[in-house]
Amino acid sequence: MTLDDTDRHLVNLLQDGLPIGPAPFEEIALKLAISQTAVAKRLGRMKEAGVITRFGPFYDAAAMGGAFCLCAMEVPAERLEPVVTCVNAYPEVAHNYERAHRLNMWFVLATETEAEIATTCKRIEAETGIAVLAFPKLQEFFIGFRVAA
Amino acid sequence: MMLDQTDRALIAETQGGLPFVPEPYAAVAQALGLEEGEVLARMQAMQDRGVIRRVAVAPNHYRLGMTANGMTVWDVDDAVASDLGAQVGALGFVSHCYLRPRARPLWPYNLFAMVHGSSRDEVEDKRGQIVALLGAACRASDTLYSKRILKKTGLRLTGRT
């Protein structure tokens, strides 16, 4: 799909958020001189084409009561594949990345409670024989990140 | 914030996204058998309490050319780490920014900032901007590029109470 200027404006402007109300596209439609239906249709097309991954509320998972923690392991190269299989099998492991560092495996644990973070780390350590370093967030900073379309 | 069963039903219905119609909340209300006014009031209450950060579009970085990313990590003087972290987070190319505990001696870094760019060179260039911003408060740093996504599942809340 090729993006026209209106699509680009939509992506750029709608990253900042829309008001919650009966007609959330009213203001942006006026600004871009298109109908609210056209805004909705363009967003739907961009979602279908994979230009946007979603449109909707961004929930703060921690505010909903869950617990999250970034963890890292130093996995010997020759054991990487079996350890990946073992770690990924835990439903608590939400994301897992191989990174270029001595600590070469980085994953995020997502559990219902804080206590389950520690017990999951211990279970993974017991099963793999490799230490799990936990890096819980101490402070989160407001993010100004925007992608220019 | 205490979320009741109806809030959780709303979250379950909307966490994958809103319908692409001019009045999306009316459509959500209809799907759940609620009044639109109640849906709007509950969503607004969740936004006011920070359960909803914002209602917005999430662009696909990769599709829009932001194909490189590096987890930059910094050993920043604790006395100024909070102030400097706020400045790093506000940079337009940083998508996540946290203070986390160190794990010495292997891991001396306390500030984590995910940096995005269209190429590794661009990530390095942006990293240079953080170096300049942190100045003498930064004692050591590194960038961890991802080699492989091993697992990626969306964070999903079930309709449980």
Side-chain angles (χ1 to χ4, degrees), chain B residues 65-79:
Chain B
M66 301 281 264
T67 50
N69 71 80
M71 185 172 82
T72 70
V73 292
W74 312 83
D75 176 12
V76 180
D77 183 351
D78 287 324

Side-chain angles (χ1 to χ4, degrees), chain B:
Chain B
M1 175 184 183
M2 289 301 290
L3 299 172
D4 67 15
Q5 189 111 34
T6 307
D7 291 324
R8 290 196 174 263
L10 264 174
I11 293 168
E13 180 70 23
T14 58
Q15 65 187 346
L18 290 170
F20 296 104
V21 294
E23 298 180 353
Y25 299 103
V28 168
Q30 194 177 13
L32 293 174
L34 298 170
E35 292 296 321
E36 184 187 10
E38 182 178 3
V39 168
L40 291 170
R42 285 175 177 272
M43 299 289 283
Q44 189 63 55
M46 286 196 277
Q47 176 152 295
D48 292 344
R49 291 167 180 223
V51 174
I52 294 175
R53 291 166 189 261
R54 62 182 190 279
V55 178
V57 159
N60 181 344
H61 313 160
Y62 291 93
R63 190 67 213 290
L64 293 170
M66 301 281 264
T67 50
N69 71 80
M71 185 172 82
T72 70
V73 292
W74 312 83
D75 176 12
V76 180
D77 183 351
D78 287 324
V80 288
S82 200
D83 284 346
L84 288 170
Q87 293 179 45
V88 171
L91 296 169
F93 50 82
V94 171
S95 68
H96 299 78
C97 189
Y98 300 100
L99 282 183
R100 300 183 185 279
R102 298 178 180 87
R104 288 185 172 118
L106 185 56
W107 193 259
Y109 311 111
N110 59 337
L111 179 66
F112 288 58
M114 191 64 75
V115 172
H116 296 261
S118 58
S119 66
R120 222 172 245 209
D121 281 350
E122 197 182 309
V123 171
E124 288 296 330
D125 179 65
K126 288 170 169 171
R127 188 178 180 286
Q129 296 182 42
I130 301 179
V131 169
L133 194 158
L134 296 177
C138 175
R139 292 170 292 230
S141 67
D142 200 351
T143 304
L144 278 67
Y145 288 101
S146 66
K147 290 174 75 177
R148 201 163 37 128
I149 299 174
L150 303 172
K151 183 177 185 181
K152 191 163 194 174
T153 54
L155 299 174
R156 284 281 185 270
L157 183 87
T158 54
R160 77 193 151 73
T161 50

